[in-house]
Amino acid sequence: SNAVGRDFRKEPALPEFGDILKRAKLLGEELNKSSIKELVVGESTPGGTTTAQAVLWALGYDARTSSASPENPQSLKERVIAEAFSRVGLEKGQLRDNPLEALRQFGDPMMATVIGLSLGFRKDIVLAGGTQMLAVSALLKALGEALDRFMIATTKWVINDRSATFIETAREIGIITYSADLDFSKSEFKGLRDYEKGYVKEGVGAGGATWLAVKAGFSPEEVSEKVEELYRRLMSMKG
């Protein structure tokens, strides 16, 4: 689907979420027929931590999502969410029994896609991302899915972000988590060292990619070294 999320302060974010769900579920069902036993799904969504927090609040979780910025703009997120809740006439937690309405009003295409995949693929699923995957987990739980076949794979930077509530909210939802212990503190590149200062924190399924590497027998240190090597190669191409 080529649908994009709308500004949920002004209108429902995903009026066509059913089409996204249906297509993603069909893909999940096709993958389910294969020999794949565990599906790892990553994400990258502009503004996705705000839509995630709105959905979590609508479902009754007192959560704070992380941010790609070292300074989490939590007051801005809360103001935007308050405007959206006011538009719908909602209080926090009022959609705990209507998760699809929470998705329609406040979600984003990534959430609808991952939920559809999860409904179609019936084996183990690793949700590779940060606090946005908490919203996906909460929606799946509210839809009646057993969470024992799901895990969130994230990074230490998300876990250590005290401006967010990753561990607390994951525990409240009842989803297990894996944290990739990558370390770029000694990197020769500022762009990688900045991860240790709170920039980005996750990024396109970094936790899930590390989870797969560790399962294949590599250590987090080796993954960090490989990232450094690839970064060096990219910088040399740029030059």
Side-chain angles (χ1 to χ4, degrees):
S1 176
N2 59 358
V4 296
R6 317 284 175 84
D7 182 347
F8 63 28
R9 295 169 300 176
K10 300 173 182 174
E11 60 184 320
L14 282 183
E16 63 285 274
F17 77 93
D19 185 49
I20 302 174
L21 275 177
K22 185 171 71 174
R23 293 181 189 216
K25 187 178 180 184
L26 282 172
L27 174 57
E29 288 169 348
E30 286 302 309
L31 292 170
N32 201 52
K33 297 172 187 174
S34 73
S35 60
I36 298 169
K37 292 184 173 61
E38 180 181 75
L39 190 64
V40 179
V41 187
E43 56 78 17
S44 181
T45 312
T49 62
T50 303
T51 52
Q53 187 162 310
V55 166
L56 287 165
W57 281 17
L59 296 176
Y61 297 94
D62 191 20
R64 296 190 308 277
T65 53
S66 197
S67 171
S69 167
E71 298 297 325
N72 190 351
Q74 191 56 227
S75 61
L76 175 60
K77 288 183 189 177
E78 293 181 13
R79 189 164 68 248
V80 168
I81 294 167
E83 285 183 49
F85 277 29
S86 175
R87 172 184 64 78
V88 184
L90 272 186
E91 298 290 333
K92 193 182 286 188
Q94 272 191 289
L95 294 180
R96 60 168 48 89
D97 297 323
N98 195 348
L100 291 180
E101 182 62 9
L103 177 63
R104 187 178 82 88
Q105 290 289 353
F106 311 118
D108 57 52
M110 180 280 289
M111 289 183 206
T113 302
V114 178
I115 288 164
L117 280 170
S118 301
L119 295 176
F121 186 83
R122 303 309 301 170
K123 292 169 269 188
D124 291 343
I125 295 180
V126 176
L127 302 170
T131 46
Q132 294 175 59
M133 287 306 190
L134 292 172
V136 171
S137 305
L139 286 164
L140 286 166
K141 181 181 181 180
L143 287 166
E145 285 294 302
L147 295 184
D148 54 2
R149 65 187 181 97
F150 294 92
M151 178 180 78
I152 297 178
T154 191
T155 65
K156 70 172 187 183
W157 303 297
V158 170
I159 297 287
N160 295 338
D161 180 5
R162 298 324 303 160
S163 72
T165 58
F166 183 86
I167 291 294
E168 298 86 346
T169 306
R171 192 176 296 128
E172 191 178 351
I173 294 167
I175 181 107
I176 62 168
T177 63
Y178 163 80
S179 170
D181 193 18
L182 303 175
D183 187 352
F184 298 136
S185 59
K186 296 181 175 63
S187 172
E188 66 184 90
F189 302 108
K190 182 180 182 299
L192 292 178
R193 291 196 306 273
D194 279 348
Y195 271 78
E196 305 296 337
K197 297 177 182 176
Y199 287 92
V200 186
K201 301 182 182 71
E202 223 287 342
V204 203
T210 307
W211 164 258
L212 287 174
V214 169
K215 283 188 72 176
F218 298 95
S219 69
E221 291 75 21
E222 287 174 302
V223 175
S224 297
E225 287 168 15
K226 191 66 177 179
V227 171
E228 186 90 355
E229 177 193 320
L230 292 170
Y231 201 112
R232 190 177 297 113
R233 193 184 305 170
L234 285 168
M235 293 303 284
S236 68
M237 290 167 60
K238 181 181 174 184

